[in-house]
Amino acid sequence: MGLTSITQIPGIYAAHYTNEEAGTGCTVIICPNGATGGVDVRGGAPATRETDLLRPEETVNVLHSVVLSGGSAYGLECMSGVAHELEKRGIGLNVGVGIVPIVSGACIFDLACGSFSVRPTLANGMTAAATALDSNTPLERGNVGAGTGATVGKLAGPSRTMKGGFGENVQVSGELICGAVAAVNACGDVIDPVTNIPVAGMLDKNDPSSIASTIDALTTMAASMPLSRTNTTISCVVTNAKLTKAQATKVAQMSADAYAHTIKPTHTTNDGDAIFVMATGQVEVPLDVVGVLATQALEQAIIDGVSKAKTAYGFIAAHDL
């Protein structure tokens, strides 16, 4: 049987915290021994933590956790909870007087889904981290974790918006493993890159059982329907490849092609799109092989996120179209 979850990659632990009633949550990915990290942020309105530290020229060369969260900028609080839980367990960078867990992450805007006033908290981050380390099981997908309150196809407003979600995929080539997870919360339509058929997106005004083209709508209505800052697809690629920080950054940049292949439009001025990379360093392979395999995994994770979503909070899911 092939690998189906990043939790099956040696040295990687992951779990969700989900508040189904409030329509929000977070997803925590942990590498207790430390991974080599990279990041690529292409959206114009990101909510992120510790992305500068991942730049190749910076001196910290280890990443212990990536957190994907709902709650917009408020959700950054849960990442401190992850750091507290890791510190309790002795996981972090030794700085002489103690340890400092290196925790990076990004948030989606889900405040218009469920409850505006409920966001992932420090305690929720601690809970997710503890769950990951204590019971490392394959991740659920759909309306869970960072994808709980995710929506897609938002240009024409809530009445024509569809449900997004949390997706995952793992690709294997020989000894190389590249897995990807994504919280799909895009303004644009999600397109299957193989068939070029929309999977989820902006519902057609005249036929709510079909999907209209957000790009066509945007180019004809740009003056009267500006994008709002409610759109972000955030992802993490996990691989057992041996990479430097510069190489991990390049893999993140290459993986951004997955967004262009599956989300139309993407990387807009009001998106906060971000891709993190965690490399555990077990397998030496050419960099371009890692980048291509990671891109394939992320494409399928994005499709998986909307395919596994369930109708909720007044937003229909692709499964019910």
Side-chain angles (χ1 to χ4, degrees), residues 1-5 8-9 169-180 238-240 283 289 292-294 296-297:
M1 184 176 178
L3 301 183
T4 59
S5 179
Q8 296 166 310
I9 299 174
N169 184 261
V170 180
Q171 298 285 319
V172 178
S173 178
E175 294 184 342
L176 175 64
I177 306 169
C178 289
V238 183
T239 178
N240 64 347
V283 179
V289 176
V292 169
L293 202 66
Q296 292 176 355

Side-chain angles (χ1 to χ4, degrees), residues 112-133:
C113 188
S115 173
F116 174 86
S117 61
V118 179
R119 306 106 182 197
T121 64
L122 187 146
N124 300 155
M126 293 183 72
T127 297
T131 301
L133 293 168

Side-chain angles (χ1 to χ4, degrees), residues 286-314:
L287 175 61
D288 288 335
V289 176
V290 182
V292 169
L293 202 66
T295 301
Q296 292 176 355
L298 186 50
E299 287 173 359
Q300 293 306 310
I302 291 169
I303 299 301
D304 188 57
V306 294
S307 298
K308 294 296 192 301
K310 297 177 182 178
T311 297
Y313 316 108

Side-chain angles (χ1 to χ4, degrees), residues 186-267:
C187 173
D189 308 318
V190 179
I191 312 293
D192 187 319
V194 176
T195 64
N196 207 34
I197 295 174
V199 181
M202 183 178 68
L203 295 170
D204 189 284
K205 180 170 63 175
N206 300 314
D207 180 9
S209 65
S210 63
I211 300 168
S213 169
T214 293
I215 286 185
D216 288 349
L218 182 61
T219 55
T220 57
M221 299 185 293
S224 59
M225 299 186 68
L227 294 173
S228 61
R229 294 183 179 89
T230 63
N231 322 299
T232 300
T233 297
I234 52 177
S235 310
C236 183
V237 169
V238 183
T239 178
N240 64 347
K242 184 176 182 180
L243 302 174
T244 65
K245 281 180 73 177
Q247 291 173 327
T249 300
K250 189 60 182 175
V251 169
Q253 292 171 349
M254 292 178 70
S255 299
D257 283 353
Y259 284 31
H261 296 163
T262 59
I263 302 171
K264 301 182 186 299
T266 192
H267 308 323

